[in-house]
Amino acid sequence: MSRLITECIRESIKSVLHQLYPECPAAVPFTVDQTRERKHGDYATNLAFILSKKLRKPPQEIAEELLEALTSVFRGQAQLEVAGKGFINVFLEDVFLEPFLEEVLQEGDEYGTIAIGNGERVQVEFVSVNPTGPLHVGHGKCAAFGDSLAKILKRAGYTVEKEYYINDAGKQIDVLGLSLEARYRELLGKQAEIPSGGYYGEYLIGVARMLREERGDTLLEMEERDRNAFFRQYAVDKILLSIRGDLEDFRVTFDHWFSERTLYENGEVEGALDRLRDQQHTFEKDGALWLETTRWGDDKDRVLVRENGSPTYFTSDIAYHWNKWKRGFQRVIDVWGADHHGYIPRMRASMHALGLPENFLEIYIVQFVTLLRKGQPERMSTRQGEFIPLRNLIDEVGTDVARYYFLMRDPATHLEFDIEEAKKHSMDNPVYYVQYAHARIASVFREARKMGLDPERPLKTRYVFHGEREKELVKKAVYFPEIVRKSAQQGQPYLICNYLHDLAGAFHAFYNHHRILDQSEPERTAMRLRYCLAIRSVLRNGLSLLGITAPQTM
RNA sequence: GCGCCCGUGGCUCAAUUGGAUAGAGCAACGGACUACGGAUCCGUAGGUUGGGGGUUCGACUCCUCCCGGGCGCGCCA
C-alpha cells in the first residue's frame, strides 16, 4: 500500500493545529499540495486562509503563529516559510524523500495501490452498443474510458466489475432481423427490400453470406414467426461476436455481458413495474402507464407501458438498474455517449422512484470524436453507414496510440483526433514520448548489465541528490499515488496521461544532462540506477492503468 | 424555443476544484556533449482566459446577462 506525501504532511500539520487552536473543529478543510513554482517550495498549505474565517484574524498573522510550532515538528525533514498573503511553504529535505523512494522500489508493480475505496463494490457499465452494427470510433472512446476508469478504481481500492449491456430486445432488433433477411433473399436472387429505418451497412451482406453457407435456401420455407426469430438471433450473435473481437484487440474485456432479453424472460421488467406502482409514482393516461419523472426534475413524464401493452426501453432500463442494485453494488457507473445526455433526468428520476440512494447511480457523458485526416473532418453516424469503424483505426494507428489519444482528454469535451499526426513516430506523439522514456531505461539497464552492474541491487549508502534535476525527478515519481487518488476521485484517466508525460519529460531532461553509467563514480551510478528503476515502475504502472504497453525497445 | 456540454497564445490542451507572476506540447526561430538510443534535450517569441456586470483577502474557476460552437428535446433504442 503506497503512502501519500500530502497525507503525511497533513498529519503533522494537524497535530500542531490541535495544540495551538484546540477550539478549532478536527476537520478543518485545508489543503496540502504541490506548488506550481519552485520558489514556493515543494508543497504548500492554505491553512491560514481557512482559519482566518473562523478565528477572525488576517491569514498572515495566523501563518506566523503557526510557523514556529510547525518548524519544530518538521525539524530535519523540511524547512518552512510564510509567503504571499499567508501561504505556508514546505521545502523538503532530501532525507524526507528517501523512504518514499524506497517504497517505490519495494512495491514495484504494486506501487500506486491506495485504499480510498475500502473494497466498496462498484460496477462500471460501458460501451453497451446495440448489436446492430460494428463499433465505430466514438464507441472506442467510451471503451477506452470505461476500461481505464475501472482499472484506476481497482488500484484505488474498489472492488470493480465491468459490464456490457446487450440491447437484444425491442424494435431495432426486429428491424435488424428483417434487414438481414432482405440481404439473405438478395443473395438467393429473390425480390427483397430492406425495411424503412433498416440497416443498410455492408456488414449485413457478410452475415447473410455466412448464413447462406450454413443453411442454403432452407430458411425461406420457415414459418414467419420462427423465421423472424431466427434472423434476429443470428444477426445479433454474429454482430456481437465481431464487437467482442474488436474490443479484445482494443484490449477491452468485460466481466459480464448482460442480456436485456433476460430481464423480460425472468419477469424482472414486471417486477420493476410492480415496485414503481407500489411506490405510488405511476399513473395512467391515454391508455398508457406513466412514471411521474417530473417530480424529480425531468421536463416531461415518461411512458413505461405503451398503449399497446408493451413496455418501453426506459422500463427495461429501470429493471436493469434495479437488477444491479439487487446484485449488491453500492455504486454503479454508466458511461454514455453524448447523444444520450437528454436521458439523464428521467434515469435519475427513476432511481428516486425506486427508492435507491442518491449517489447510487453515477453517469459519465462521453462527447464525440472528430476524426481529422489532412484537415478534413470525418463525421460519423451509425444509421447512415458513413462511419469509421474502430477496427480501421486500430489497424491504422495501433491500440496503444488510439487508447492514449482517447484518454488524454476529459471525455466530456469534444476530441480532435488527427490520424496523420497520431501515426507519426516522433515527438509530436505523446504516446511515444512516454513509451520512449520506458524503453530508454530498459536500454540503460541492458548497458549496465554488460558492464556487470545490477540495477536491482540495494544501495549501501544514503541517497544524495546531485543537483535539482535529480531531486525533481524523484519528487515527481513519488507523487504517483496522489495522481491515482485524484484520478479515481474525479473519474479522470487523463490526469494519468498528463502526469506520465510530465514524468517522462523530467526523465528525458535528467538523461540528457547526466551520465547515468559512469565507471569512475560507482556509488553515484548505483544511485542513478535506483532512480531509473523507480521511474520505470511508475511509468509501467501508469501505462497499465491506461491499458497501454510499456515496451523494452521501440 | 427549452435543457445539457464546451469556449484559455496560430493549433491541440493544462491550471492541484476559489489560491501566489495562467502553464505544457505542436507549429516558428536559434542552439546541444566524437560516451548510456537525437523518437531526446536547452533557449527565444507568442495572452485583456469569447464579451459585459457581480460575489471576496483572492476568479480561468462561483452567480447573472449576452455572443459563438456541439448535442439532445418519441408510446425509438
Side-chain angles (χ1 to χ4, degrees):
Chain A
M1 200 65 61
S2 309
R3 282 186 303 158
L4 299 157
I5 291 184
T6 54
E7 282 308 311
C8 215
I9 296 174
R10 272 180 74 88
E11 289 309 314
S12 300
I13 292 177
K14 270 188 189 169
S15 66
V16 169
L17 191 58
H18 292 319
Q19 281 170 28
L20 243 56
Y21 306 109
E23 72 273 25
C24 273
V28 182
F30 68 96
T31 63
V32 173
D33 224 317
Q34 280 198 325
T35 55
R36 268 202 266 256
E37 285 186 60
R38 288 260 61 232
K39 65 178 180 187
H40 295 142
D42 300 310
Y43 289 81
T45 177
N46 65 350
L47 178 60
F49 292 96
I50 304 296
L51 290 177
S52 150
K53 278 160 201 157
K54 296 194 199 307
L55 300 175
R56 295 164 185 278
K57 269 195 264 187
Q60 208 150 2
E61 205 173 301
I62 299 172
E64 296 293 348
E65 284 174 17
L66 286 162
L67 189 65
E68 196 184 340
L70 284 172
T71 303
S72 74
V73 168
F74 282 99
R75 192 170 306 285
Q77 296 289 308
Q79 299 197 14
L80 301 160
E81 68 169 19
V82 173
K85 289 171 187 164
F87 287 97
I88 298 170
N89 295 335
V90 181
F91 296 77
L92 299 179
E93 302 286 356
D94 293 2
V95 287
F96 184 93
L97 289 171
E98 206 166 293
F100 290 93
L101 178 57
E102 275 306 314
E103 194 172 271
V104 186
L105 297 166
Q106 272 164 30
E107 295 192 10
D109 287 351
E110 295 302 313
Y111 181 68
T113 304
I114 54 173
I116 62 170
N118 293 319
E120 191 189 23
R121 281 192 67 200
V122 180
Q123 186 212 50
V124 185
E125 183 222 319
F126 60 110
V127 187
S128 298
V129 174
N130 293 351
T132 53
L135 294 177
H136 67 231
V137 167
H139 301 135
K141 189 179 171 189
C142 291
F145 175 73
D147 188 57
S148 180
L149 180 63
K151 285 175 162 45
I152 291 164
L153 291 175
K154 244 178 235 181
R155 259 282 131 109
Y158 293 90
T159 305
V160 185
E161 282 179 39
K162 296 183 285 181
E163 186 153 298
Y164 187 118
Y165 183 52
I166 307 165
N167 298 127
D168 52 2
K171 209 164 115 187
Q172 291 207 1
I173 297 300
D174 295 344
V175 174
L176 176 73
L178 294 173
S179 302
L180 176 62
E181 184 174 342
R183 290 300 195 194
Y184 173 75
R185 283 176 183 277
E186 270 173 23
L187 281 180
L188 296 170
K190 306 274 183 200
Q191 177 74 19
E193 207 171 311
I194 291 177
S196 74
Y199 298 90
Y200 292 89
E202 276 187 30
Y203 54 92
L204 274 187
I205 300 175
V207 177
R209 283 213 185 89
M210 281 189 258
L211 194 49
R212 184 182 58 180
E213 217 143 285
E214 285 175 28
R215 309 296 285 261
D217 62 357
T218 58
L219 296 169
L220 294 175
E221 290 138 35
M222 231 185 230
E223 188 110 11
E224 184 175 351
R225 181 181 295 184
D226 295 342
R227 196 176 65 224
N228 287 347
F230 179 87
F231 277 104
R232 272 202 303 267
Q233 193 58 47
Y234 193 87
V236 167
D237 287 349
K238 287 293 183 233
I239 291 173
L240 220 45
L241 210 59
S242 93
I243 287 176
R244 198 188 283 243
D246 289 353
L247 286 170
E248 269 169 27
D249 289 346
F250 202 47
R251 282 183 225 124
V252 174
T253 57
F254 290 89
D255 300 305
H256 297 293
W257 294 72
F258 192 102
S259 154
E260 178 187 3
R261 227 182 40 211
T262 61
L263 292 170
Y264 287 96
E265 289 166 0
N266 300 337
E268 293 186 70
V269 174
E270 273 310 314
L273 281 171
D274 288 344
R275 166 114 188 151
L276 293 172
R277 281 200 199 93
D278 289 349
Q279 305 272 51
Q280 313 263 312
H281 295 134
T282 62
F283 62 94
E284 302 212 14
K285 196 181 86 181
D286 306 332
L289 182 72
W290 300 67
L291 182 67
E292 45 173 12
T293 54
T294 47
R295 186 168 160 169
W296 295 280
D298 197 5
D299 32 347
K300 310 172 185 167
D301 292 323
R302 306 292 171 176
V303 171
L304 289 169
V305 181
R306 300 183 183 92
E307 200 177 352
N308 69 11
S310 65
T312 59
Y313 173 81
F314 181 42
T315 306
S316 61
D317 216 6
I318 295 173
Y320 178 42
H321 285 79
W322 181 235
N323 173 288
K324 292 184 185 189
W325 170 256
K326 285 189 293 187
R327 274 189 276 164
F329 293 109
Q330 288 152 288
R331 184 155 66 111
V332 297
I333 294 173
D334 286 11
V335 178
W336 294 349
D339 51 339
H340 285 73
H341 78 253
Y343 195 72
I344 295 174
R346 86 188 70 167
M347 203 61 219
R348 286 203 191 289
S350 73
M351 295 298 101
H352 280 115
L354 287 171
L356 298 179
E358 180 70 39
N359 53 0
F360 174 63
L361 173 64
E362 199 171 328
I363 299 168
Y364 284 92
I365 289 299
V366 177
Q367 286 289 346
F368 295 113
V369 180
T370 308
L371 274 189
L372 298 173
R373 194 187 290 277
K374 290 165 192 162
Q376 283 281 341
E378 300 180 314
R379 282 295 312 278
M380 59 213 71
S381 149
T382 323
R383 278 301 181 78
Q384 281 143 24
E386 46 170 66
F387 56 86
I388 299 172
L390 177 61
R391 162 70 46 197
N392 295 14
L393 188 70
I394 296 174
D395 292 345
E396 204 169 344
V397 305
T399 293
D400 282 343
V401 170
R403 284 188 72 124
Y404 194 94
Y405 270 77
F406 287 142
L407 293 172
M408 68 196 282
R409 311 266 178 249
D410 180 347
T413 64
H414 303 242
L415 176 70
E416 304 246 347
F417 191 141
D418 192 315
I419 297 182
E420 298 304 324
E421 188 195 295
K423 278 162 74 177
K424 280 194 245 171
H425 287 213
S426 75
M427 55 188 172
D428 299 10
N429 198 319
V431 197
Y432 297 129
Y433 187 82
V434 175
Q435 289 184 320
Y436 184 51
H438 185 271
R440 238 180 181 174
I441 292 172
S443 170
V444 170
F445 286 178
R446 284 191 294 271
E447 281 308 305
R449 291 201 183 89
K450 277 187 213 159
M451 294 163 65
L453 297 171
D454 178 11
E456 317 257 350
R457 192 178 62 97
L459 211 59
K460 295 198 183 82
T461 56
R462 299 197 76 88
Y463 288 98
V464 182
F465 296 118
H466 302 89
E468 274 306 303
R469 270 206 184 80
E470 275 190 18
K471 192 175 174 185
E472 201 60 35
L473 182 64
V474 171
K475 253 170 52 192
K476 281 189 168 142
V478 296
Y479 197 62
F480 181 58
E482 205 78 44
I483 296 294
V484 174
R485 177 167 75 170
K486 282 186 197 192
S487 181
Q489 281 169 341
Q490 297 178 27
Q492 289 292 16
Y494 83 87
L495 295 174
I496 307 269
C497 293
N498 289 352
Y499 168 77
L500 289 178
H501 194 266
D502 189 47
L503 179 67
F507 175 75
H508 287 311
F510 163 72
Y511 180 92
N512 272 277
H513 287 87
H514 301 292
R515 176 77 197 172
I516 295 169
L517 302 172
D518 183 350
Q519 278 168 316
S520 65
E521 293 274 8
E523 281 193 358
R524 187 188 289 184
T525 297
M527 276 179 217
R528 288 186 170 157
L529 283 172
R530 298 292 279 174
Y531 303 151
C532 287
L533 196 60
I535 304 301
R536 191 181 68 167
S537 279
V538 176
L539 288 173
R540 211 180 252 179
N541 297 353
L543 285 169
S544 93
L545 291 178
L546 304 173
I548 295 173
T549 60
Q552 300 296 312
T553 59
M554 300 194 57

